[in-house]
Structure formats: structure tokens, C-alpha cells
Amino acid sequence: MDHDLPAGYEISTDPARLDAALIHRWLSEDSYWALGRSRAKQDSAIAHSLNFGVYESASGAQHGYARVVTDMTTFGWLCDVFIAPDARGKGLGTALARAVREHLEPYGLRRILLATADAHEVYAQVGFTPLAHPGKWMALGEQ
């Protein structure tokens, strides 16, 4: 399934295809949520997550990334979603979110959460909604 990807792109969960140095640079230098994250922390996060890469089909160059922290049974946390600045505006973010949703559907997870400051419309297109009862949720650590 192409997840409504624009022509010339593909999504893969193959960890061997990930460009860990590029992902680290994107997140530690260009994201608002992971600025300054160390390479060691990022590599550990990749190693302990289900990872999705967006690649240009012809060259194999990576243009996007997302990871899911999950037990593959009841819960998932979608995080570190990033599309390279020069690849934005093509629908890659929405296609990536849709690919994550479709990949996780067979597991019947009760809940998949994410946090975003500026991309609500992207995630709404694939079925994410605001929490119905946010007062039930609590956090430990950075907020």
C-alpha cells in the first residue's frame, strides 16, 4: 500500500535503511522537542523503537522519520515525526502518519498517543483526535 505517498517516495520499517546521523541532526538541531538530544540517546531511542523512514525511491535518500514506542499489544506512542525541510508540503507527513496507523492496525492497540504543538491538522487527517478526557492523564518528567 502506498499510503497516498507522492510519486517517487516510499516508506520502510527496515532499520538497516535508517540514516541515524541524519535523524540525529534533524531532531537535535531542527525540531522543537528534541533540541540538544545526544547522539547516544537518539541511537538508543532508535534501537528500542519501531522506526519508519521516508525515502526517495530513486536515490534511497531519507526524507522523513517517525518512531513508535509500543508493546505491540495494547499501547503505542508516536513520536519524533520529522520531514526534511526541503521535502515538506508534498504530503509526506500525512502519508507517514497514515503508514504508522495502518502498520499498527493489525495489533489492535487500545490507544496510540502523540503530542504535537503545530501539526494537529496532519494527524487529524488520519484519525487522531484530541483527548476526550485530558483530566484523566498525568505525566512524570518534562512537560
Side-chain angles (χ1 to χ4, degrees):
M1 187 170 284
D2 71 1
H3 313 288
D4 297 322
L5 272 167
Y9 290 93
E10 60 192 26
I11 294 175
S12 173
T13 59
D14 180 357
R17 293 187 69 181
L18 296 171
D19 184 335
L22 178 62
I23 293 166
H24 176 253
R25 184 172 52 77
W26 283 340
L27 297 177
S28 69
E29 297 177 13
D30 297 331
S31 75
Y32 65 83
W33 64 90
L35 290 176
R37 183 182 290 168
S38 73
R39 175 68 190 266
K41 275 198 181 283
Q42 186 59 52
D43 287 350
S44 182
I46 289 170
H48 295 96
S49 299
L50 171 61
N51 300 279
F52 294 78
V54 178
Y55 304 93
E56 188 175 20
S57 300
S59 69
Q62 188 167 354
H63 289 270
Y65 175 73
R67 69 185 181 91
V68 179
V69 180
T70 182
D71 59 11
M72 302 300 279
T73 305
T74 62
F75 180 79
W77 175 262
L78 173 58
C79 53
D80 288 346
V81 180
F82 192 91
I83 300 298
D86 62 346
R88 293 181 185 159
K90 300 177 182 180
L92 294 175
T94 303
L96 180 55
R98 184 173 289 109
V100 168
R101 184 195 71 202
E102 291 175 2
H103 185 91
L104 294 173
E105 278 177 346
Y107 299 99
L109 303 183
R110 180 175 179 192
R111 183 174 290 114
I112 302 168
L113 294 178
L114 64 85
T116 184
D118 59 359
H120 296 80
E121 67 285 346
V122 170
Y123 300 107
Q125 290 180 55
V126 298
F128 284 88
T129 61
L131 291 173
H133 304 286
K136 292 171 58 175
W137 293 89
M138 298 179 71
L140 177 64
E142 188 176 322
Q143 294 187 41

